[in-house]
């Protein structure tokens, strides 16, 4: 149902197609006014999402709640009510003019993914469709990547000296060093590796059965 009882009565009596009804509303609204309305909707969407990416998921749930057939489509009367719950008031002609653009075949439905993509900032839309991994594991991977970058910057200036110095700490000439000897060798070159930075390196290091580290392989990582 539309907002106006008279418009609802007219719709019930008319024999005109929805395409004609859409077009009539579009002509009354005009292209410039429709563009302004879409701009206001975009601004409202941006304000609703704000600085919290979780709001993009909430908006997604809101659309899904009105998608009764779970087919990605929403009827114009449902979109009106949904927009009102979202804090956006759409006049009847504005709503039908919008459908004139997004439902050119006059089915009464529009693909709301197309509308949301048009209204949302591209970065926010990526959260909306779930293209951004916001899980704890993703945060952990990001932290490890940051730590690895930090470690790499520390070693690059001394990489040519690193293996000979570490070899001096390898009294058994086995090619392997304990964690403490490895870190001592790094410190001798002025490279101090924190516990968290070392943990970020562990997945890249080669170790023997005793847990000692192949320092030549580690040097090759930073020389690459």
């Amino acid at each position: 149902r539309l907002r106006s009882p008279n418009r609802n009565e007219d719709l019930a009596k008319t024999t005109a197609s929805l395409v004609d009804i859409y077009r009539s509303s579009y002509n009354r609204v005009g292209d410039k006014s429709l563009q302004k309305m879409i701009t206001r909707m975009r601004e409202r969407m941006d304000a609703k999402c704000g600085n919290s990416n979780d709001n993009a998921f909430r908006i997604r749930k809101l659309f899904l709640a009105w998608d009764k057939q779970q087919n990605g489509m929403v009827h114009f009367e449902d979109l009106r009510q949904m927009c009102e719950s979202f804090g956006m008031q759409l006049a009847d002609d504005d709503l039908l003019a919008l459908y004139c653009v997004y439902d050119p075949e006059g089915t009464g439905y529009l693909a709301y993914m197309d509308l949301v993509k048009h209204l949302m900032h591209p970065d926010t839309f990526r959260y909306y469709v779930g293209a951004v991994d916001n899980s704890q594991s993703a945060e952990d991977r990001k932290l490890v990547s940051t730590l690895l970058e930090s470690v790499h910057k520390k070693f690059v200036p001394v990489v040519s000296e690193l293996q000979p110095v570490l070899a001096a700490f390898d009294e058994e000439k086995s090619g392997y060093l304990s964690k403490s000897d490895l870190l001592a060798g790094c410190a001798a070159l002025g490279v101090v590796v924190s516990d968290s930075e070392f943990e970020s390196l562990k997945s890249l290091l080669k170790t023997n059965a005793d847990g000692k580290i192949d320092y030549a392989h580690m040097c090759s990582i930073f020389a690459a």
Side-chain angles (χ1 to χ4, degrees), residues 162-163 166-167 170 173-179 181-182 186 198 201-202 204-222:
L162 186 59
Q163 188 165 339
L166 293 178
D170 181 11
K173 306 302 179 187
S174 65
Y176 292 86
L177 287 173
S178 65
K179 175 185 175 181
D181 286 340
L182 182 81
C186 294
F198 183 79
L201 272 175
K202 284 178 68 173
L204 303 178
L205 300 178
K206 287 184 178 180
T207 58
N208 63 11
D210 297 325
K212 291 186 176 182
I213 301 156
D214 182 339
Y215 57 86
H217 175 260
M218 189 191 81
C219 292
S220 70
I221 294 173
F222 297 115

Side-chain angles (χ1 to χ4, degrees), residues 16-81:
S17 68
L18 267 179
V19 172
D20 292 335
I21 294 171
Y22 288 167
R23 176 56 60 181
S24 178
S25 291
Y26 183 92
N27 291 336
R28 283 193 292 273
V29 171
D31 187 61
K32 288 184 178 180
S33 294
L34 181 61
Q35 289 301 322
K36 287 181 180 178
M37 182 193 73
I38 292 174
T39 298
R40 288 195 302 271
M41 291 178 72
R42 184 179 293 117
E43 291 171 349
R44 180 60 181 164
M45 184 77 77
D46 286 342
K48 191 73 174 178
C49 290
N51 295 321
S52 173
N53 294 318
D54 288 342
N55 286 337
F57 291 108
R58 292 192 183 100
I59 292 170
R60 181 180 182 178
K61 288 181 179 178
L62 185 60
F63 271 103
L64 288 173
W66 288 101
D67 181 5
K68 297 180 177 62
Q69 303 298 322
Q70 300 296 298
N71 60 2
M73 309 295 287
V74 62
H75 194 266
F76 61 79
E77 62 186 36
D78 292 330
L79 182 68
R80 179 185 65 77
Q81 294 181 62

Side-chain angles (χ1 to χ4, degrees), residues 1 33 50 124 128 135 142 163 175 188 193:
R1 297 178 61 83
S33 294
T124 307
Y128 176 87
S135 65
K142 184 178 180 181
Q163 188 165 339
V193 180

Side-chain angles (χ1 to χ4, degrees), residues 1-5 8 41 62-63 66 74-96 98-99 108 110 115:
R1 297 178 61 83
L2 299 174
R3 295 176 64 85
S4 167
N8 285 319
M41 291 178 72
L62 185 60
F63 271 103
W66 288 101
V74 62
H75 194 266
F76 61 79
E77 62 186 36
D78 292 330
L79 182 68
R80 179 185 65 77
Q81 294 181 62
M82 196 215 73
C83 286
E84 287 179 357
S85 68
F86 191 59
M88 291 188 295
Q89 300 288 333
L90 293 180
D92 292 340
D93 275 335
D94 290 341
L95 176 65
L96 295 174
L98 187 68
Y99 268 73
L110 63 73
L115 178 63

